[in-house]
Amino acid sequence: MSGHLAVVGLGPGDARALTPEAEEALANAQALYGYRPYLDRLPTRAGQTRHASDNREERARAAAALRHAAEGVRVAVVSGGDPGVFAMAAAVCEEIESGPESFRALDVTIVPGITAMLAVAARVGAPLGHDFCALSLSDNLKPWELIERRLDAAASAGFVIALYNPVSRARPWQFSAAIERLRRHLPPSTPIVFGRAVTRPGERIDILRLDRANLIEADMATLVIVGSRDTRVVARPGKLPLVYTPRAAAEVSA
Ligand code: SAH
């Protein structure tokens, strides 16, 4: 019997941002695996079992889900946003590569979702309208020196930068260190967007200049977009300004 594993992106939070494909994969699953707050967002279905685990247990969760699917069960592993962006899809691939042969025989489907940087970008305009990159500031799985090198490279090459995992309880200082690093390359007036809990209760959007970035506390539910030299802010009466990066690069970045 060969089972099936779907790795499903739930989007940023609002049920309307869940794709019909994701909805279908969740409805068809006999067993759901995931971080508890993500599972809690989903309606309970008769006959479906739930296997909640902690945030830091991604490898173990992926292995458990694969073992369950290898028994012939239809299993879905859920991720917030997109499962391929700093999330479960890569953990599942790692387990398939290092695990028993039975894992390679499984049908595996990755169901994409709206990732946080797209949800935040859409709230403010089009900051990702030209070349951009995404970095996780978490140094759980990579050394801080590598993060610094990538920040230097991205900012000096003129990319708009989306920062995932800006802070956590175990990492109180990294975000301000990252901002300090970016200031070496970018003008003080560079726009920076903080999107907190976007599409969820408690959503908050702040648009600042890079030299004022310390006025906002980023937390684990915040996605930060740092503009490039080309990114513009358009003031509007009584509304949030529009932040966008024009489609044509204005200059060759130094
Ligand atoms: N797979 C997820 C990202 C997981 S990493 C995705 O594609 O969105 C977790 C980080 O994502 C958080 O620290 C935060 O930076 C960001 N994030 C996730 N959901 C968010 C939301 N609704 N609003 C703002 N940021 C969010």
Side-chain angles (χ1 to χ4, degrees):
M1 202 170 15
S2 96
H4 181 269
L5 185 77
V7 192
V8 182
L10 302 181
D14 185 344
R16 290 175 306 165
L18 188 73
T19 68
E21 187 188 11
E23 196 123 35
E24 189 180 295
L26 295 171
N28 288 338
Q30 297 167 297
L32 294 183
Y33 282 77
Y35 178 41
R36 186 177 305 278
Y38 295 149
L39 290 180
D40 287 345
R41 285 193 209 164
L42 304 174
T44 46
R45 290 188 169 88
Q48 194 173 59
T49 60
R50 287 181 174 226
H51 309 262
S53 45
D54 188 72
N55 213 357
R56 290 174 298 271
E57 294 168 4
E58 291 177 340
R59 284 292 293 259
R61 180 192 306 146
L66 282 158
R67 280 195 300 274
H68 205 165
E71 291 166 10
V73 175
R74 295 189 66 81
V75 176
V77 181
V78 301
S79 267
D82 182 89
V85 179
F86 308 123
M88 286 306 296
V92 165
C93 293
E94 289 167 26
E95 289 304 310
I96 292 175
E97 186 177 20
S98 63
E101 208 51 39
S102 59
F103 287 0
R104 298 188 185 218
L106 286 171
D107 279 332
V108 176
T109 312
I110 313 293
V111 182
I114 298 174
T115 188
M117 75 177 170
L118 300 185
V120 173
R123 282 291 195 254
V124 298
L128 309 179
H130 201 66
D131 298 341
F132 64 88
C133 65
L135 256 87
S136 168
L137 286 190
S138 168
D139 59 358
N140 287 343
L141 299 169
K142 61 188 169 189
W144 179 251
E145 297 68 50
L146 180 60
I147 297 174
E148 285 186 331
R149 273 218 310 280
R150 289 185 177 165
L151 288 167
D152 289 344
S156 59
F159 288 110
V160 172
I161 306 170
L163 297 173
Y164 284 77
N165 295 310
V167 272
S168 77
R169 247 168 262 119
R171 296 179 291 109
W173 56 268
Q174 274 89 340
F175 180 64
S176 30
I179 295 297
E180 280 312 311
R181 199 84 194 177
L182 293 172
R183 279 196 192 145
R184 296 184 190 178
H185 305 277
L186 295 167
S189 61
T190 304
I192 178 167
V193 177
F194 291 75
R196 183 181 179 280
V198 169
T199 84
R200 303 206 290 255
E203 170 173 331
R204 186 179 160 154
I205 303 284
D206 292 284
I207 300 168
L208 289 89
R209 293 160 45 113
L210 191 57
D211 58 352
R212 311 264 159 76
N214 59 350
L215 296 180
I216 300 293
E217 289 268 338
D219 66 8
M220 277 165 74
T222 306
L223 182 288
V224 178
I225 298 178
V226 181
S228 71
R229 286 168 187 270
D230 292 334
T231 304
R232 309 182 57 78
V233 178
V234 183
R236 299 186 300 167
K239 293 183 166 54
L240 263 188
L242 278 177
V243 181
Y244 83 105
T245 308
R247 291 164 301 148
E251 60 169 291
V252 179
S253 296

